[in-house]
Amino acid sequence: MKKIWIVLTVLFAMLFFVSCGVSDDEEGESLVDDSDVPESSDHSGGEAGGDGELTDSDEEPVNQSGIYVTCTPGETLPCYEGPSGTDGVGICKAGYKECVEDGSDWSECRDQVLPSPEICSNGIDENCDGEDMTPETAVDYDGDGYTYCDGDCCETGWEPGCSGSDSPERINPGAFEMKDNYFDDNCNGQVDEVEHCDAGLSLSIGDYAGNAEKLAKAMGVCAGLISAELSLAGEPVSEMIDTNPNACSNDGGCSYNPTSRMSREMPYYESDFQTFAVTNVFGTQMKPEDGSNMLAILSTGQWNSPTMNASIATLGAGDMQTASKIPEDWINMMRNCEIPKAPSCGGQPLQDGLTNQCAGSEIPSVQDPIMLTLKMKVPANARAFEFNLFFMSIEYPSTVCSDNNYNDFFIALLDSTYNDKNPNAEYKNPYDKNLAKDELGNPVGVDLAPAGLFKACNPGCGGGGLIGGMTNSINKWGFCTGDELLNGTGFGTEGKSGMIACQDGHGGTGWLRVVGNVEPNEEITLRLALWEQGEVGYGPDHSWDSTVVLDGFTWLPTPKKPGVSPK
């Protein structure tokens, strides 16, 4: 009996443990082999499709090729990329996008119609605002002064050709065609075209107004030119000068008897001598920059035959019979009402804040002055401008850093509201308005030589000795790189060699870039003036001529560091 109970107890225990083991398997590991079922990337219970691909939409499943699947191939969805509220209005309508063949992405939006520039009074609502625009109902959406009825091709930024532009107000018929920005800035149907207005220009005796405009165009000023004017640098003045061509005898002795002479009213431009020109080549080597056709030239003497005869005051010796004061607003900002000396020659840098420095003093007068004044309307998309200049002088190297400040001067005075409207700007225009100086304040003239900006000169002339009382150290500052561009201009050493070349040779700056900053749509004035200064035996210096060549004017889309720098 006792054995029977022992057997029953063992059987009962076996049944109990078997029962517990099944329960544990049901709550933990499955006893079914499910290793062939693909795992979902979504552990929340996504179901497997018939081809082994998961259809759960919360995560991107991977197909058998390892590609993330985002949609069902061939599936389509509506799409519209125009401004909110324009879908279904006027010509605008939605399109569709289609799931690509491998299901990895959607195609671009197809067959949609987006807003386009409104064609006035044609009965069609192209810009999808709910009505056809007429000149009477035209709205200037971007506030640039132009509407679709005026030919504005970019009012909202969504139109073809300006899509994505964050500044539609800078694209209109009054804008300048900027280079390489891939927009039709001026709405003429062309992209990044370069405008030239200097083909076939020729000057005429007596036509100062027409000649001034042609000089501006030869310089490259096309878009925005309001007017151009030629004049002296200021009010004409009288001067004490001996104009007797026989004042000096053949043996070199001179007996001067200066008398008062009133200046001519305008720069000298007659059939015998001409102080300005437009030309397609200066000398034999200097040609227009940037693909333009002409160069604009201003000179203190005959533009293509400079002189250095300081013994007599005649036309042939460089006396152009003109003298004037200089721009009063500029000289009033110069310390002690004095024409500044270059810091590279020991002069003091410009001091901001100076005003009315000429109170109680005479405005300085200068010789053989010439000034081209340009009034321009800044295009809506311009924030700056630049042009190229090449200054050359007979005074180089003899009067560099002279005690008498013989330094012939070129200035470029800009009148603009830029500084007032941008008081915290990184790049502000010079306080004295003169753009024609380097970052250290050295003005354009022969005194740029120690500053390293007089490079168009003969590098083989560096002796420093005297020949006939003149220095032959053209390259004494070590910056000359060659004067080939001066061939045929009268300022180089072409056809001369050795000590003769160094005695008779002169030089120039090479091409420099001048930059100024402006405000869109404002009217600016740019005054470009050149003159001689100093005294010689017969009176005020009218010899030792200087010339400046101007070219390559263009508008720029962003402000730049103003002033002069090597090109």
Side-chain angles (χ1 to χ4, degrees):
M1 188 67 178
K2 183 177 180 180
K3 293 182 179 178
I4 294 175
W5 281 109
I6 292 174
V7 173
L8 289 174
T9 300
V10 171
L11 290 174
F12 178 78
M14 291 176 63
L15 288 172
F16 176 78
F17 283 112
V18 169
S19 174
C20 290
V22 172
S23 176
D24 288 341
D25 286 339
E26 289 174 351
E27 293 177 5
E29 273 183 26
S30 172
L31 297 178
V32 179
D33 183 6
D34 59 356
S35 59
D36 292 331
V37 179
E39 291 184 8
S40 170
S41 61
D42 181 359
H43 297 289
S44 61
E47 296 181 358
D51 59 356
E53 190 176 291
L54 297 181
T55 60
D56 182 76
S57 60
D58 292 339
E59 298 285 343
E60 292 184 336
V62 180
N63 67 16
Q64 292 178 350
S65 299
I67 297 175
Y68 284 99
V69 176
T70 61
C71 56
T72 302
E75 179 184 0
T76 61
L77 288 177
C79 58
Y80 183 70
E81 297 170 335
S84 176
T86 59
D87 183 9
V89 179
I91 66 171
C92 294
K93 66 175 184 177
Y96 70 94
K97 57 183 178 179
E98 184 176 5
C99 184
V100 299
E101 185 176 355
D102 61 8
S104 63
D105 202 357
W106 296 91
S107 69
E108 75 279 359
C109 191
R110 300 170 180 170
D111 293 346
Q112 66 174 334
V113 180
L114 300 177
S116 61
E118 189 76 12
I119 300 174
C120 288
S121 305
N122 68 342
I124 301 173
D125 177 17
E126 288 92 355
N127 70 339
C128 306
D129 69 345
E131 61 181 5
D132 176 38
M133 181 177 289
T134 66
E136 295 73 26
T137 63
V139 177
D140 183 10
Y141 292 100
D142 55 10
D144 61 3
Y146 295 86
T147 69
Y148 288 126
C149 294
D150 300 320
D152 194 344
C153 60
C154 185
E155 276 287 308
T156 66
W158 286 97
E159 297 89 337
C162 74
S163 180
S165 171
D166 58 357
S167 302
E169 72 279 1
R170 301 181 68 179
I171 300 177
N172 55 60
F176 178 73
E177 191 66 23
M178 299 293 178
K179 294 186 293 185
D180 303 325
N181 69 349
Y182 307 106
F183 286 120
D184 177 14
D185 300 281
N186 58 7
C187 297
N188 69 347
Q190 303 179 60
V191 176
D192 293 347
E193 76 275 12
V194 178
E195 179 183 8
H196 294 303
C197 56
D198 61 349
L201 301 176
S202 61
L203 305 184
S204 302
I205 303 297
D207 184 14
Y208 281 97
N211 290 342
E213 183 176 349
K214 291 172 183 176
L215 281 166
K217 290 182 177 180
M219 181 181 170
V221 181
C222 301
L225 180 63
I226 297 174
S227 66
E229 178 185 0
L230 273 165
S231 67
L232 306 181
E235 178 186 348
V237 299
S238 62
E239 56 187 349
M240 296 299 294
I241 187 169
D242 190 336
T243 59
N244 178 11
N246 299 314
C248 294
S249 62
N250 291 333
D251 61 6
C254 297
S255 178
Y256 296 118
N257 182 30
T259 57
S260 179
R261 181 185 71 181
M262 188 65 190
S263 170
R264 290 168 55 103
E265 293 288 325
M266 296 293 284
Y268 200 99
Y269 192 83
E270 305 292 346
S271 58
D272 50 358
F273 291 95
Q274 299 170 354
T275 56
F276 52 89
V278 297
T279 180
N280 58 2
V281 60
F282 184 32
T284 60
Q285 303 297 318
M286 192 181 303
K287 298 180 180 179
E289 297 278 292
D290 304 320
S292 56
N293 299 299
M294 307 290 282
L295 300 167
I297 297 179
L298 306 178
S299 181
T300 63
Q302 170 62 22
W303 69 274
N304 58 359
S305 182
T307 64
M308 61 179 297
N309 186 349
S311 63
I312 53 176
T314 63
L315 283 168
D319 174 20
M320 295 295 107
Q321 305 173 359
T322 53
S324 77
K325 296 182 179 180
I326 54 179
E328 188 170 348
D329 58 333
W330 175 70
I331 195 63
N332 257 315
M333 290 182 276
M334 299 299 106
R335 190 180 285 106
N336 301 321
C337 194
E338 296 176 352
I339 297 175
K341 193 173 185 64
S344 66
C345 290
Q348 294 180 305
L350 175 67
Q351 180 179 332
D352 289 357
L354 295 180
T355 60
N356 205 25
Q357 292 291 294
C358 297
S361 303
E362 283 288 327
I363 302 297
S365 59
V366 293
Q367 297 80 251
D368 295 336
I370 181 171
M371 184 163 72
L372 177 64
T373 299
L374 306 176
K375 292 186 181 297
M376 294 175 280
K377 172 74 177 295
V378 178
N381 59 336
R383 295 292 194 278
F385 64 82
E386 69 177 20
F387 64 91
N388 306 322
L389 75 80
F390 198 127
F391 175 87
M392 57 210 79
S393 180
I394 292 294
E395 290 189 345
Y396 180 84
S398 300
T399 67
V400 175
C401 298
S402 71
D403 293 336
N404 294 323
N405 201 14
Y406 273 103
N407 183 23
D408 286 359
F409 240 79
F410 173 77
I411 59 175
L413 304 182
L414 172 63
D415 288 286
S416 166
T417 64
Y418 178 83
N419 285 2
D420 292 336
K421 293 186 176 181
N422 301 276
N424 299 316
E426 179 182 5
Y427 300 127
K428 298 181 72 172
N429 292 324
Y431 172 77
D432 69 336
K433 306 181 183 181
N434 183 23
L435 302 174
K437 58 176 182 282
D438 69 8
E439 62 182 355
L440 299 178
N442 296 300
V444 170
V446 294
D447 285 355
L448 276 176
L453 290 182
F454 232 86
K455 297 183 177 181
C457 41
N458 192 327
C461 299
L466 294 178
I467 301 177
M470 296 176 55
T471 179
N472 71 341
S473 56
I474 291 179
N475 196 30
K476 67 178 292 186
W477 295 278
F479 297 110
C480 293
T481 58
D483 60 355
E484 291 79 10
L485 279 178
L486 301 180
N487 288 353
T489 66
F491 292 99
T493 57
E494 178 189 18
K496 303 172 183 178
S497 61
M499 296 180 68
I500 298 299
C502 296
Q503 175 181 338
D504 296 341
H506 304 286
T509 59
W511 284 110
L512 302 175
R513 183 176 77 153
V514 185
V515 173
N517 295 320
V518 294
E519 277 292 292
N521 297 312
E522 72 167 337
E523 290 188 7
I524 64 170
T525 300
L526 181 63
R527 290 169 285 171
L528 307 169
L530 178 70
W531 64 71
E532 295 183 40
Q533 58 193 41
E535 294 281 335
V536 292
Y538 59 72
D541 174 29
H542 285 267
S543 304
W544 298 54
D545 297 326
S546 295
T547 295
V548 65
V549 182
L550 306 169
D551 188 34
F553 182 96
T554 190
W555 299 103
L556 303 174
T558 57
K560 303 290 183 182
K561 188 174 185 178
V564 167
S565 60
K567 188 175 184 298

